[in-house]
Amino acid sequence: DGVHLGRDDGDVATARERLPHGLLGVSCYNDFARAESAAAAGADVIAFGSVFASGTKPQAVRAPLDLLGRARERFADQRIVAIGGIDASNIRSVSAAGAHTAALISAVFDAPDPDAAVRRLQNAFHEGQLEHDSQRTTV
């Protein structure tokens, strides 16, 4: 149904040509210019991270939280995803900053009760979304 491209996974425009109706995601790390290029080439999903230190990818470049809000404002047609080091202690800040969703590994798979962890994470993410939405103004 789709593909997600990292820095070394090929050209975004070529992927869009080969997958005209599929979901196309692109990892942009901390690079806003890469996100602009990805959006212009037809990406549906723009991912930034690692937003926090990650045990899964400890050498990953860090992306500041404010990048999520900037991207959400700039890329109205794309979904903004936060990746890296996200857990129950910080997921609310990710959604409050503007992420539409978050990619999680350890926060779920390392939890003693993954089902309960997912529910807590979803609730905290939703609380952050409400905070993000309350900061928006209507014109």
Side-chain angles (χ1 to χ4, degrees), residues 40-103:
D44 303 298
V45 177
I46 297 174
F48 292 101
S50 184
V51 292
F52 301 104
S54 170
T56 304
K57 292 186 178 181
Q59 302 304 319
V61 68
R62 296 290 293 278
L65 281 174
D66 70 330
L67 194 56
L68 302 172
R70 285 180 46 215
R72 183 153 175 171
E73 290 296 319
R74 171 67 179 89
F75 308 114
D77 295 332
Q78 285 76 25
R79 305 298 283 171
I80 306 304
V81 178
I83 297 175
I86 302 166
D87 60 26
S89 72
N90 57 31
I91 194 167
R92 183 177 177 159
S93 65
V94 167
S95 55
H100 290 103
T101 192

Side-chain angles (χ1 to χ4, degrees), residues 3-35:
V3 66
H4 188 90
L5 301 177
R7 188 180 340 254
D8 301 321
D9 294 332
D11 180 65
V12 178
T14 301
R16 176 47 69 209
E17 288 173 17
R18 292 183 178 173
L19 194 67
H21 305 293
L23 189 64
L24 177 56
V26 178
S27 288
C28 296
Y29 312 97
N30 66 347
D31 187 345
F32 202 79
R34 179 173 168 80

